[in-house]
Amino acid sequence: MSDQVHIFDTTLRDGEQSPGCSMTTPEKLRVARHLVEMGVDVIEAGFPIASEGDFEAVRAVCREHPGAYLAALARAVPIDIERAAQSLDGHARPRIHCFIATSEIHLRYKFNKSQEQVLEEAVEGVELARRYVDDVEFSAEDATRTEIDYLCRVCEAAVDAGASVVNIPDTVGFMTPDDYAEKIARVVEAVGDRAEISVHTHDDLGLAVANSIAALHAGARQIECALNGIGERAGNCSLEEVVAIMMVRRDRVPYHCGIDATKLYAASQALSECITFGPQPNKAIVGRNAFAHEAGIHQDGYLKHRTTYEIMTPDSVGVPGSQLILGKHSGRHALHQRVEQLGYGDLGRDDLRTVYEAFTRQADTRKGLTDDDIVVLLDSLGFEPVGEAVASTA
Ligand code: KIV
Ligand code: ZN
C-alpha cells in the first residue's frame, strides 16, 4: 500500500458551518489561496444547496483555481447533487461528495427509514453524482455508530455504484484510536483497492487527530481536516497537527503528504482574520504559546540548546520565531538576553542582579512583562540604551 496520504481540506465547508466561522466569498477565496499554496490535495469549497452564497463561493473558488481538485458537498438526494454539479460545472477537477447517515440512531430518529432504504438511496445518490463527474466521494454519516457489517455493505455498494473514495466519518467524535482503527481496517478489507478510504474525525473527546493518525495505520489514505481544527462543535481534525505529526514523527507515522509545512502559520493567521476567533493560545503548532517558553529552567535549557525544549523549529511550520516570555517563572538568562536585545548592552553580574531583583518583584504581581515594561524598569534603575533594539524572538 502506498505511503502517500491525501489531505482533503474542509475548512471552507465543515469548518465554515460552525458557530462564528461563516465566511463571505472573498474570505473563502482568501483562505483557498493559502490552501492551494500549501498544496492540499482536495479543497471542499462548500455545500452548494445550503445557500446562494455557498453556491457562489464554490463557483468563485473554481474560477480562481482551475487546476485544483475541488469538492462540493451534497446529501444523497437529487436536488443537492444537481446543485453541487452545477456549482462545479466546467471545472477540470470536480468532486461531488455525497453523504447519507447510516447509523441506527439516525435511521430511526432522523429518517424513520430501514437500512435497505438507506442503502438504496446511497447507491442512487452515487449513481446520479457519477452522471455529472468521474470523481465521487461517498460518506456514511455517523459511520462510527453504524453496525459494522451494514457499514461495510453500504460502502461496498457505494463503490459498486461508482464511488472512488469512501469516507468513514466519526461524525460525533465518539471514537478512540483503537476502536476507529479496527473499524477502518474492516472497511479497508471489504473495499480492497477499489476505492480510497478516507477519514473525517470530530474532536468532541479531544481525539480527532489521534483517531485520524490511527486510521492511517489501518489503511486509510485520505484525511479530512481543517485549519485551526475548526468545524462542527469541538471541531474537526486539525490540518496543521496531522501535517506536523507526519513531519516530526516520520519514524512512527511513516506517510507522506504534499503539504508545504512552512505555509501553515500564515494560513492559520489568514483564517483567524476571516472568522471571529483565532486558535487558543496553547494550540499545537499555530497557537501563540506553541513556541513560547516562560519557565526559567526551560528558558535556560532553550538558550543552551533549542532542542532541549522544542521538537521542531518554528520556521519549519512558518512561525516567525520562538519567544522567551518574561514572567515570574523566568530566569536570569532570558532577562539578560532580552536586556541586550532591547539595546542596553551586556550587563555585568552586579547590574544584572539589580535588574533581576527589581524584575522579579514586579513579575510576582503581574501576568508577564512586555518589552515596554522592561524598558521602563531599566530606565527607573538608571540604565541607558547603548544601541538599537532588535526583534525579541529567541
Ligand atoms: O461529520 C460528518 O459526518 C460530515 C459529513 C458530511 C462528511 O461532516
Ligand atoms: Zn463533519
Side-chain angles (χ1 to χ4, degrees):
M1 189 178 260
S2 155
D3 64 0
Q4 185 70 31
V5 171
H6 294 124
I7 299 294
F8 174 110
D9 181 273
T10 188
T11 307
L12 303 180
R13 199 279 298 168
D14 206 320
E16 203 254 351
Q17 74 191 47
S18 59
C21 296
S22 75
M23 285 176 250
T24 61
T25 296
E27 287 166 338
K28 280 195 167 192
L29 284 171
R30 179 174 174 202
V31 174
R33 267 171 229 136
H34 284 271
L35 295 171
V36 168
E37 208 183 314
M38 74 168 66
V40 306
D41 296 287
V42 185
I43 297 174
E44 186 166 47
F47 188 13
I49 196 70
S51 71
E52 197 55 35
D54 235 28
F55 177 87
E56 283 310 326
V58 177
R59 300 251 356 110
V61 177
C62 289
R63 272 195 303 276
E64 195 169 306
H65 301 286
Y69 286 91
L70 297 178
L73 185 69
R75 288 168 300 177
V77 293
I79 186 176
D80 281 34
I81 294 167
E82 280 150 16
R83 195 69 175 144
Q86 265 173 18
S87 74
L88 296 166
D89 190 34
H91 188 65
R93 292 170 168 171
R95 173 180 293 187
I96 294 181
H97 179 190
C98 171
F99 76 99
I100 191 164
T102 52
S103 69
E104 202 46 46
I105 297 178
H106 283 239
L107 263 58
R108 184 177 316 148
Y109 298 114
K110 232 169 73 174
F111 299 148
N112 192 23
K113 284 182 184 163
S114 71
Q115 288 191 337
E116 293 317 309
Q117 274 173 298
V118 165
L119 190 144
E120 209 171 289
E121 287 176 26
V123 167
E124 283 168 6
V126 172
E127 283 174 350
L128 178 59
R130 276 302 305 266
R131 275 187 228 142
Y132 294 104
V133 297
D134 289 336
D135 183 1
V136 172
E137 170 171 337
F138 170 72
S139 278
E141 191 191 10
D142 205 18
T144 53
R145 293 191 300 172
T146 301
E147 192 255 306
I148 188 70
D149 290 328
Y150 175 63
L151 177 65
C152 290
R153 217 149 56 78
V154 175
C155 292
E156 285 181 83
V159 174
D160 290 342
S164 46
V165 179
V166 168
N167 185 37
I168 309 299
D170 183 24
T171 304
V172 290
F174 180 61
M175 285 292 92
T176 59
D178 55 341
D179 196 1
Y180 199 40
E182 275 172 32
K183 290 183 196 301
I184 297 299
R186 284 289 304 275
V187 177
V188 168
E189 197 190 335
V191 167
D193 57 9
R194 297 191 302 136
E196 182 166 81
I197 303 305
S198 170
V199 288
H200 175 113
T201 55
H202 280 270
D203 211 30
D204 300 67
L205 292 176
L207 289 170
V209 171
N211 288 338
S212 289
I213 297 295
L216 294 182
H217 297 311
R221 284 295 178 271
Q222 175 177 280
I223 292 185
E224 304 198 355
C225 46
L227 291 170
N228 296 350
I230 65 168
E232 287 285 3
R233 304 179 311 282
N236 280 106
C237 174
S238 141
L239 182 149
E240 57 278 4
E241 292 177 29
V242 290
V243 170
I245 290 167
M246 284 189 260
M247 177 175 80
V248 174
R249 293 309 308 268
R250 220 174 267 291
D251 57 329
R252 289 276 163 173
V253 187
Y255 311 103
H256 295 274
C257 67
I259 304 288
D260 177 354
T262 65
K263 309 279 193 231
L264 291 173
Y265 183 70
S268 159
Q269 294 283 298
L271 173 66
S272 305
E273 286 170 19
C274 292
I275 60 176
T276 57
F277 57 91
Q280 82 252 22
N282 61 337
K283 165 82 174 63
I285 322 299
V286 294
R288 195 175 66 230
N289 291 353
F291 293 91
H293 310 275
E294 177 162 346
I297 293 169
H298 288 215
Q299 292 180 337
D300 183 48
Y302 174 87
L303 288 170
K304 287 177 175 143
H305 205 277
R306 187 192 66 73
T307 56
T308 52
Y309 288 101
E310 282 184 0
I311 58 168
M312 66 194 115
T313 59
D315 53 293
S316 68
V317 290
V319 171
S322 300
Q323 282 179 303
L324 299 184
I325 305 299
L326 294 179
K328 71 171 184 173
H329 304 290
S330 319
R332 247 166 246 253
H333 280 99
L335 180 65
H336 190 188
Q337 187 204 54
R338 182 66 56 85
V339 168
E340 244 185 316
Q341 286 170 337
L342 289 170
Y344 286 77
D346 181 8
L347 296 190
R349 216 181 141 92
D350 292 341
D351 283 344
L352 182 60
R353 186 184 317 116
T354 308
V355 176
Y356 186 66
E357 280 166 6
F359 162 78
T360 49
R361 271 195 301 278
Q362 284 210 11
D364 250 341
T365 62
R366 319 260 296 258
K367 298 273 181 230
L369 274 74
T370 64
D371 285 354
D372 288 346
D373 296 329
I374 309 280
V375 168
V376 170
L377 179 82
L378 288 162
D379 291 350
S380 73
L381 294 170
F383 292 95
E384 281 181 14
V386 295
E388 288 292 301
V390 293
S392 64
T393 50

